[in-house]
Amino acid sequence: DYPNGPVYATRFMVEPEPDPALCLSQLGHWVMYVQKPSTDVDPVNVTSAFQKMFDYLSQRSIPRQLMNSLAKQPFIPIHRRANNNTSQQMLLDWCRPENVYFEVKQPTLSTTATETGVEVASTPSPENQDNITASLFPVVPFSSFLAAAGVRTEATTADLFRRLL
């Protein structure tokens, strides 16, 4: 949150609470700009920037009709390594919400040896646990905006079978 947001909006002559349709239109413009072959972008920076946009849009009230039309578009950037295992090159893919899932953060226990040789479990710390969905599908951090667009937490059995076939 930016406490001086309305002040800056006035100074820069920008509407402090833009129309949701305008926000989604601007998101679409950014997607088209980044997708241009002539645009040289770092895939990791793109996914980070779009995550910030999704976080902003999560704070907005966007009509269901607009979300339904957006859900059909590949607007979610996913960065991945090139297929060559030795390559450090990162590639950028664009996905529709139905093909992306949320990262599952689950607590894990770590153990520490004591002077007596007894291992003691320490406080759970959230780490991205390896799971079937994350190993087969693109995953993104949770965003209520993306959830409203159709991103789900876990793949269904049907999703898994489609992926394996």
Side-chain angles (χ1 to χ4, degrees):
D1 290 327
Y2 298 99
N4 293 328
V7 172
Y8 291 121
T10 304
R11 285 185 188 159
F12 292 113
M13 294 184 280
V14 175
E15 194 173 333
E17 293 294 326
D19 179 61
L22 181 62
C23 290
L24 294 184
S25 173
Q26 194 62 31
L27 175 66
H29 290 299
W30 276 107
V31 169
M32 286 189 300
Y33 172 75
V34 175
Q35 286 179 338
K36 285 183 185 177
S38 61
T39 306
D40 184 28
V41 296
D42 175 16
V44 175
N45 288 340
V46 168
T47 54
S48 175
F50 271 79
Q51 189 60 45
K52 290 175 185 171
M53 286 186 230
F54 299 151
D55 290 344
Y56 169 76
L57 291 168
S58 292
Q59 300 171 18
R60 305 300 315 257
S61 177
I62 300 175
R64 170 80 357 235
Q65 180 182 357
L66 291 174
M67 293 304 291
N68 288 342
S69 65
L70 181 66
K72 300 171 187 167
Q73 306 300 318
F75 70 94
I76 303 171
I78 303 292
H79 67 272
R80 63 176 175 83
R81 287 210 190 289
N83 287 337
N84 181 350
N85 289 339
T86 61
S87 175
Q88 293 299 322
Q89 180 185 7
M90 296 297 283
L91 302 176
L92 191 61
D93 293 327
W94 294 90
C95 300
R96 291 191 316 259
E98 67 186 17
N99 299 324
V100 179
Y101 300 87
F102 291 121
E103 292 175 340
V104 177
K105 303 263 185 185
Q106 296 181 354
T108 57
L109 289 177
S110 60
T111 57
T112 308
T114 63
E115 290 178 12
T116 60
V118 176
E119 291 189 353
V120 179
S122 63
T123 312
S125 62
E127 290 182 9
N128 194 8
Q129 185 177 18
D130 213 75
N131 62 44
I132 292 174
T133 301
S135 64
L136 294 174
F137 300 98
V139 293
V140 294
F142 180 81
S143 156
S144 59
F145 169 74
L146 291 177
V151 175
R152 296 170 287 161
T153 303
E154 288 190 38
T156 64
T157 305
D159 295 332
L160 294 170
F161 279 118
R162 269 193 301 275
R163 177 67 181 193
L164 294 173
L165 296 178

